[in-house]
């Protein structure tokens, strides 16, 4: 166990040793083991966006085993997916990589317009029988359905931690309380990180923040306090600080498929702003495997300060 | 146990031996035993469409015993029905054919317009006391009621599997999130199969897909990746691939009563596209029994590659 | 036990002996004991319509004991009422007549417009402590509240049967899914009987069907299959067939107070169409007792083929 | 389903369809399928007598898979074993033969002298997750520990049947209430069968009875009523009659390893006395497999009246 | 994951992926990772024998952290201890080594003479909140208290596995059913391994067997079948075979403190007989740490075939 990992674990001293064990497992796995940095492979896009949009660009990814193997071969810290994908590989890959069971999911067929609420599609008992290290859960701060999401998460968090599982929260501002631009505004991203942290999340996933500031009251403070927002590193620094002064693990989503160099640049910004890492789905599994391995190796090099 | 059945069971290695036992029972029953192909008789139309529409064309079908006997005589793999129909025959036909208790149902009297939600009309304990091999459940992806359906299914799935029962999901896109044409669009059928698989379904039932593509984002991918959709076999292949790269059992509904040759042609398309079989209700029980037996024998011959 | 009663019990072979025992008790009680025909006294009108409307025409009926005694003296098979009425007489009349505890009820004060949902006003445990033979439950197919009603009934049915109680379902089509005329349409009555049977009802109560056909899809089938609907007997025959080919007990409500001869004629139609009997409330208790006894004696004679 | 199987199932009409289904599965499996006769392979001797005594004579039997395969290849109706042995093969042999999870077991190390009580070593939930058709349980009528055994069995029986599992009871008189000779006395064997039947056993296993009569009061009746006990067939006839007049399945243990012809002769006696079959462990698995298959084939021929 | 580890995991195909994950974790940790061999550090002697007897020889061992660190530094596969010791280090050493929570313990103060029964001193929920990979439990076959021990273990095993934890059973014959010499007799050790395996143990710990044979019936078989018992390797081979034909992990205790070379010789015997490894407490922690590390390194070299 590296000093950095011990330092990070010290932030979670209020958690039981089971939760710490699973956080440590995630931090001590893969190419970034011991660095306190994270690259996690999430594959919930089949559910969230549909199978062809997710897997046709690299058809090997229709097979659930592909993603377990990719996460292992690339040296990811963990692999996150919904119930079906985890069930389909958990026996065959038992013990080879920490898994995160995503307990709620949403699809693009559902006519829930501007205020979506994902469905709870699994339970903590499933995570235990499948040998997972954590449960994952998505909240949409800004959606009219926030209460349902926060309250379900509160129950899941309580049960997960009582059983020694870590809690990973995808905090994605979205809904009729926000403008489209506001979904990734720096004040909103920071707020989303704070809400997830306050809900007890051990690991928080947000989107890389833009320089937009959504809330008028927030804008006043950003100006008064001269909070820097010019660079991504500035904004990441603010988001990370907003999650308990940097004492919670905050990772950033890799987003839709884009040019590699653009993503690498983003990762550098995350790294330089003190972000803990990336959770990169589509940019990982929507390309041929050798290419994916090379791509992820560069991302990991960036987080190790070598690229 | 044939090699093919063992291969299929290997895809479900994450399930307990009870679930595997019931999947094996279904695969080792009837005329298609051991082939890994399925013809299942479902009779929920009395509930879903009303009794006269369902049974008047062959009035013997008002009697619940008729369908047990038909499924047995035709050599089906299993018989699926709501609580009342299963209760009415489960003692008399105990042990003669695997049964699937449909745990939710919908009727055409209900004024729920474009976004229907079936009612949960039975429970896992019912399936156990009635000697069923599986529970069945219908979801309508695209309906505004998706959350209620997915969450009830998640709970039922957990309880069913813990007690060694397999889970069969009817995934029928429908509701205000979709156009009428979209309900059977190839992208939507594939998405419906993916959602059911991610929810933990062991056996997935979808409708045969048309060449229509509903979602603009999906259309782009189908074109970019040149996913073939010209023939039914092409489209079935895409749907099956969308259910975990072919590692989940996907069967196709027989639909409304139609000309036999048209149905046979459809079954050939399903077979040629790698579909696992058919679940054929109205086309089976809405004709005189000798005719039904002949019809189903041909369907089974098709799945055996002999017609 | 008569042969007919044994035959009827054989239809319920999937039920446990407790349910069979209570069905047998109802069939072996009163003037129609052993005939497989039923005349049941229901008195839920105090709750459903208000006390004066229900009991002022024969004020003796305000007293709950009156109805127990009436049902016994008239030779009814069973007496059905809500919790309060059963509690008020269950000790005094213990063992003298099978009772059916109506577990949901509705009143005319409730502002629920076109889509009513009765309240669950008792539980299976109440029925057990009160020595009841069955629980009763009302569903309104066609109401927007169908899901809530069907799901509560599913739970009650499971618990009632597990505890050896029979389940009686009042299936009264009603709500915004139907026209007013449609509530008693022959296709809808038949559908209502089918739904109750599929939900696991042991005894089904519907209203006598009219010759109206509500659903366009059903109309096509009635015409194509030449299903006779000219006489009440024709229509009853269709409804009874729709309840599992005649293998479920279907009884018919006596309706609002009317001329005796009209009711007798209706009973003859029910009898001739193979209906199992009548459940007659207002026409029984809203007249002086000697008159009621004479009235019910004639009804029973009709079901014995003697009038 | 043969007529004989239907006849046997009719004796259990009080059970739910789940229990009937599992009884039917056992009766419709293997070389004796449909005959209403049974040959069951039990392998609990590793626990009961120790591994070397059980498996050294045919060392292939140390491997749990051996017994699943032997039972399948020999055409047994079912395979019975303790938790560990069932867990070790249930996934690999899923669906290939009905299994009976023995829920209590005893060993020869335990210093419980003349009044042994087996330990409860598994639960009904285990049987469900492992896909078993029945639970098995041993009682020692005559032991000072009878109350503990009967009461645990009562609870297990209730839970097993509610979940659709059949109940198999090994009823082995033993303990300080009996002489050594009395353990297999005809009056005691008959009494043991009666007790198991009264405890709700669906299938009863006793030892082949000797002509000894243990209880003085019983002796008087045997003499007064001239109950024949001269031949094994006579005694088996009495034991079978003692289990509800022949309306419960009573099978007989094969006992310690002995000369084949002696065992065959015993099986003929069981058959001629109306016994339902044999449960033969040591004589099956303590010899090389080809020999075991030949031996069991002869036993099955005897029960088919062909040897 | 090595091929050997995959092979071992295949023996446990009936377990859920959670149990497999924890077994894999233990097999993939430490100096023997991937070899399928085990060296586990158990420290329950403070409870079992008292603190001075246990820790005075190397007073650093009074501190619970010492043992975590020792197990990690030595490259053990896992560390096993009672609740207090695990609680005292689980947070500080979270994720650094798999832990086994010993759920029952016994002390030398208890006046339970020849038939001891350990107390259940923790629960499965404790193991989950402490991040353990397995629960441990001791049975004393041969003790008059066997029933209580086996039945508690059966319940713990069910709950542990349902929650994805592996089960380690210390099977130590002891009690009035055995002579002192019999406690380590080869027939008794083999029997103890068999009992633990039948009770569902994933990992079984027994004492190295002596050439003594305790049971007369067993002796006959050992002689008749010419089971070799001359060398420790011979006897270990018999014990391992007795645990499901070698398809269960059987490890051997290191026993009381002795001369190193004697222990090394013993380990070689265990290795050569196909034993899976050693669980060595007193010989590890009752000496200075550098010496302990050297000692354990040699033991591990032996299991790697290098010493």
């Amino acid at each position: 166990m590296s000093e950095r990992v011990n330092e990070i674990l010290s932030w979670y001293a209020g958690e039981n040793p089971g939760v710490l064990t699973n956080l440590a497992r995630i931090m001590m796995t893969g190419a970034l083991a011991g660095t306190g940095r994270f690259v996690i492979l999430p594959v919930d896009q089949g559910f969230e966006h549909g199978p062809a949009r997710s897997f046709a660009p690299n058809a090997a990814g229709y097979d659930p085993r592909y993603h377990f193997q990719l996460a292992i071969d690339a040296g990811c810290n963990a692999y996150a997916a919904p119930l079906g994908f985890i069930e389909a590989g958990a026996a065959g890959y038992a013990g080879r990589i920490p898994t995160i069971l995503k307990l709620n999911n949403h699809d693009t067929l559902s006519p829930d317009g501007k205020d979506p609420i994902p469905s709870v599609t699994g339970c903590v008992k499933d995570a235990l029988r499948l040998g997972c290290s954590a449960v994952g859960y998505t909240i949409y701060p800004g959606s009219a359905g926030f209460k349902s999401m926060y309250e379900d998460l509160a129950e899941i968090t309580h049960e997960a931690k009582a059983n020694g599982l870590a809690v990973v929260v995808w905090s994605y501002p979205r809904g009729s309380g926000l403008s489209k631009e506001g979904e990734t505004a720096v004040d909103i991203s920071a707020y989303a990180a704070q809400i997830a942290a306050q809900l007890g999340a051990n690991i928080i996933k947000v989107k890389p923040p833009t320089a937009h500031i959504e809330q008028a009251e927030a804008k006043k403070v950003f100006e008064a306090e001269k909070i820097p927002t010019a660079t991504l590193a500035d904004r990441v620094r603010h988001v990370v600080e907003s999650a308990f002064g940097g004492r919670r693990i905050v990772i950033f989503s890799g987003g839709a498929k884009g040019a590699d160099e653009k993503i690498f640049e983003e990762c550098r910004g995350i790294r330089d702003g003190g972000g803990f890492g990336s959770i990169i789905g589509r940019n990982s599994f929507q390309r041929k495997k050798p290419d994916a391995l090379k791509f992820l190796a560069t991302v990991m090099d960036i987080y190790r300060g070598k690229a």
Side-chain angles (χ1 to χ4, degrees), chain A residues 207-258:
Chain A
K207 291 185 181 167
T210 65
H212 176 64
I213 298 179
E214 173 83 353
Q215 297 192 304
E217 289 299 316
K219 199 173 185 71
K220 286 182 210 163
V221 176
F222 271 74
E223 287 167 4
E225 303 294 337
K226 298 192 175 55
I227 300 174
T229 60
T231 67
L232 177 59
D234 288 337
R235 301 187 295 267
V236 164
R237 195 169 294 113
H238 177 67
V239 171
V240 169
E241 187 161 44
S242 296
F244 295 4
R247 293 170 66 84
R248 281 297 171 272
I249 298 160
V250 183
I251 58 179
F252 294 81
S253 58
K257 201 152 182 323

Side-chain angles (χ1 to χ4, degrees), chain A residues 4-5 35 57-58 65 69-71 81 83-84 145 173-174 192 208 226 228 246 255 264 286:
Chain A
R4 177 58 178 163
V5 168
T35 63
N58 175 29
R65 295 172 302 177
Q69 196 67 53
L70 173 61
L83 184 70
R174 182 174 170 190
K226 298 192 175 55
F264 297 152
Q286 289 186 341

Side-chain angles (χ1 to χ4, degrees), chain A residues 9 25 36 41 65 81 92 96 98 106 133 137 155-156 168 176-177 197 204 211 226 235 246 252 269 298-299:
Chain A
L9 289 176
R25 276 181 186 137
L41 178 69
R65 295 172 302 177
R96 299 192 54 191
H106 191 254
S133 288
Y137 191 92
E155 285 180 26
I156 284 168
V168 182
S176 58
I204 297 160
K226 298 192 175 55
R235 301 187 295 267
F252 294 81
T298 304
V299 171

Side-chain angles (χ1 to χ4, degrees), chain A residues 47-48 104-107 110-121 137-140 143-150 152 174-175:
Chain A
F47 200 126
E48 303 273 333
N104 67 346
N105 287 285
H106 191 254
D107 61 71
S110 310
D112 48 8
K114 290 196 302 190
D115 287 299
I117 311 179
S119 305
V120 179
T121 56
Y137 191 92
T138 300
I139 55 173
Y140 298 144
S143 164
F146 70 95
K147 188 167 153 58
S148 151
M149 285 181 268
Y150 295 179
D152 283 351
R174 182 174 170 190

Side-chain angles (χ1 to χ4, degrees), chain A residues 1-10 28 34:
Chain A
M1 201 72 60
S2 71
E3 273 189 47
R4 177 58 178 163
V5 168
N6 280 331
E7 183 190 4
I8 294 173
L9 289 176
S10 76
M28 294 308 292

